[in-house]
Amino acid sequence: MANDQKPSFYITTPIYYVNAAPHLGTAYCTMLCDVQARYRRAAGYDVKFLTGMDEHGEKVAEAAANHGFDTPQAWCDSQAPLFKNLWHELEISNDDFIRTTEPRQHHAVQYLWERMKESGYLYKGSYDGWYCVPEETYFTENQVKKSDEERETPGQHLCPDCGRPLERVQEESYFFKLSAFQDKLLALYDEHPDFVQPSFRMNEVRSFVEGGLNDLSVSRTSFDWGIPVPFDDEHVTYVWFDALLNYMTAVGYSLDDDASKAEYAHRWPAQYHVVGKDIIRFHCVIWPAMLMAIGEPLPEHVFAHGFLTVRNAETGKAEKMSKSRGNAIAPQDVVDLLGVEGYRYYFMTDVAHGEDSAISFERMEQVYNADLANSWGNLVSRSLNMSAKYFDGKTPELEAGWAQKDNPLRAIATGIEKRYAEHMDVMDYVGAKDVVMELVHAANHYIEDSTPWAVAKDEARAGELVDIIANLLESIRICAHLLSPFMPETSAEVLRRMSLEAEVDTCDLAAACEWGGIAGGVEVTKGDALFPRLATDKK
RNA sequence: GCCGGUGUAGCUCAGCUGGUUAGAGCACGCGGCUCAUACCCGCGAUGUCAUUGGUUCGAGUCCAAUCACCGGUACCA
């Protein structure tokens, strides 16, 4: 429900196409959103995090038949749990899961058609294409042209798949007058340079729009697995007016009751649509144009991430993941190696912001061992152990004002939340991680410099020992908060081991990161290693 | 073909508007320590900054050309 006390933060993943089982790429995109959603909740926002599935279209109907399902709906129903279960396993904290076959989407899409009709940006025309009779497949003019060129059979119009001659077909279709929005879109990009992120993607979008826009075919008569056009029974909605609209459907668009209207007013526009770079155009060109046409506010940002590739162990080169190459890595493979939280940490902090990235199990092990086992996990281990050992299973008793004393860790921790937020706010997780790891490394360094094991042997230095351990525990507490969006369960565990369970799931991160928050004289438990070191098979 | 981008240590990348001996993390080698997950801390080596030419007192940083790689060139999400 809408919470008017806090600002809304609405973030979405694309809706994933039902025909492809969830893979490393979809998990990556969903994790990007999850980390942002968790961060924003901690930062005091009223978050809605949406993901879901795109279930309409000709290919879904075909897949259903091929898999022996009676209806496309039954096929979709069988696939939805694959996504939901994986998101659950990967600690994805989505607040909603939309499926385009749901009644709410049906209602919203039909409502959109009426608004589009009123807008004057809709007209009926004909959509030209090429049809391969034996393959029963449609191809666009460009697909055919491209394959003819590659095959060096220009102008012959041969099927890209089987090479046989194609038939020219014309289909009646509704068109959205995308061409009318060129200037408005360019103005949007000028006025909101951060509409498309990272910034280097903006150039691609802009040059595309500058090259001129064609109107967009938005309905089909050649198949019927889709939402009917309300004023024309022959037509079903083609992808654009269906898939993209899900973002608005999920926050009450088209509904007339007071609660829904309030929800929509509170939530829309979205702050972030996170998408793969392959669908950037749909979100940065078509989608804003649609919204302009019907007079709805535009989303604030579209963030496009890169693709994950696999590093070939022998050649060192990045390759596309594919079943035929046999180089595909499944989410489960990564979970098996790193655990869920190690998985999240690796993909969120070792993939350069918005860029493609070649991943490898070797690199995963390195990052896991270096950052999680050796640095962060071991810091927690040694610090909690010393606290328990020197203070009888507890944190040291603290005198009032202890937190005001200067020390190297306090110096680094001061303002750390702000530095971290600058990166998190723009989804630069690598940069945010670096800020946190600076404190982790400093804390390990501080232990060496202050030699608490030596101080503990000298009763005259008891006060000094209290300060050392308190500074360590305090640093760990702050790091746990900052790492929580990436590794929520580990951070919660760390706080619990310091008897700070009340701080888990804070919604005031800035306050939580103020120096001086630990409790004195409470139980502390060393516990098992958070991230057991992985044995690397080095020869 | 056209448009755009990239090319900096073994790997992943920083290097803003040109200015002393080119940086970080990881990986690697040596030394120290022992609270800790054989961990941590210190020290160290490595780069003709893709190539060539140009502008400049001075260029990784600007310009041109060349080579290599990548993306886009729209209705598959």
Side-chain angles (χ1 to χ4, degrees), chain A residues 468-514:
Chain A
I468 293 169
I469 301 301
N471 290 337
L472 284 173
L473 297 180
E474 182 58 7
S475 298
I476 287 172
R477 187 188 67 80
I478 290 169
C479 289
H481 278 296
L482 297 175
L483 290 171
S484 185
F486 302 99
M487 301 179 289
E489 184 44 46
T490 303
S491 286
E493 174 62 16
V494 170
L495 294 173
R496 283 194 294 268
R497 288 182 187 185
M498 296 192 289
S499 299
L500 293 170
E501 39 278 283
E503 284 192 18
V504 176
D505 294 330
T506 180
C507 52
D508 188 347
L509 186 63
C513 291
E514 286 292 315

Side-chain angles (χ1 to χ4, degrees), chain A residues 6-22:
Chain A
K6 298 176 175 181
S8 172
F9 188 87
Y10 180 31
I11 183 168
T12 69
T13 74
I15 46 174
Y16 300 117
Y17 204 50
V18 67
N19 279 6

Side-chain angles (χ1 to χ4, degrees), chain A residues 105-150:
Chain A
Q105 175 75 352
H106 190 279
H107 186 273
V109 168
Q110 295 208 322
Y111 182 82
L112 172 69
W113 275 106
E114 300 289 357
R115 301 289 79 72
M116 281 291 182
K117 192 178 176 188
E118 289 170 5
S119 77
Y121 291 107
L122 195 67
Y123 65 91
K124 201 186 249 188
S126 81
Y127 173 70
D128 300 336
W130 295 91
Y131 186 66
C132 177
V133 180
E135 299 261 314
E136 297 181 3
T137 310
Y138 288 92
F139 297 96
T140 65
E141 186 76 45
N142 272 70
Q143 286 173 306
V144 175
K145 193 174 163 193
K146 194 179 280 181
S147 87
D148 269 343
E149 278 168 9
E150 284 169 5

Side-chain angles (χ1 to χ4, degrees), chain A residues 48 62 64 79 127 135 143 161 191 230 275 290 297 308 312 345 349 373-374 401 412 423 429 440 488 501 520 528:
Chain A
K48 179 172 172 107
E62 284 172 8
Q79 295 299 294
Y127 173 70
E135 299 261 314
Q143 286 173 306
D161 286 348
E191 285 161 25
V275 302
M290 283 169 57
L308 301 178
N312 184 307
Y345 181 84
T349 68
N374 297 350
I412 292 174
H423 293 103
Y429 299 155
V440 170
E501 39 278 283
D528 295 334

Side-chain angles (χ1 to χ4, degrees), chain A residues 190-260:
Chain A
D190 286 339
E191 285 161 25
H192 299 278
D194 58 353
F195 175 67
V196 184
Q197 296 177 355
S199 57
F200 61 85
R201 296 282 173 208
M202 176 61 98
N203 298 332
E204 293 176 15
V205 172
R206 185 190 296 275
S207 67
F208 174 78
V209 173
E210 283 170 347
L213 297 170
N214 296 329
D215 291 344
L216 200 65
S217 166
V218 292
S219 74
R220 284 290 185 277
T221 55
S222 56
F223 61 88
D224 59 7
W225 181 236
I227 297 171
V229 176
F231 41 80
D232 194 333
D233 292 345
E234 299 295 306
H235 291 252
V236 294
T237 310
Y238 191 56
V239 55
W240 323 113
F241 279 10
D242 183 355
L244 288 164
L245 193 70
N246 89 87
Y247 304 131
M248 272 162 54
T249 303
V251 292
Y253 177 67
S254 84
L255 297 176
D256 206 28
D257 61 286
D258 289 346
S260 299

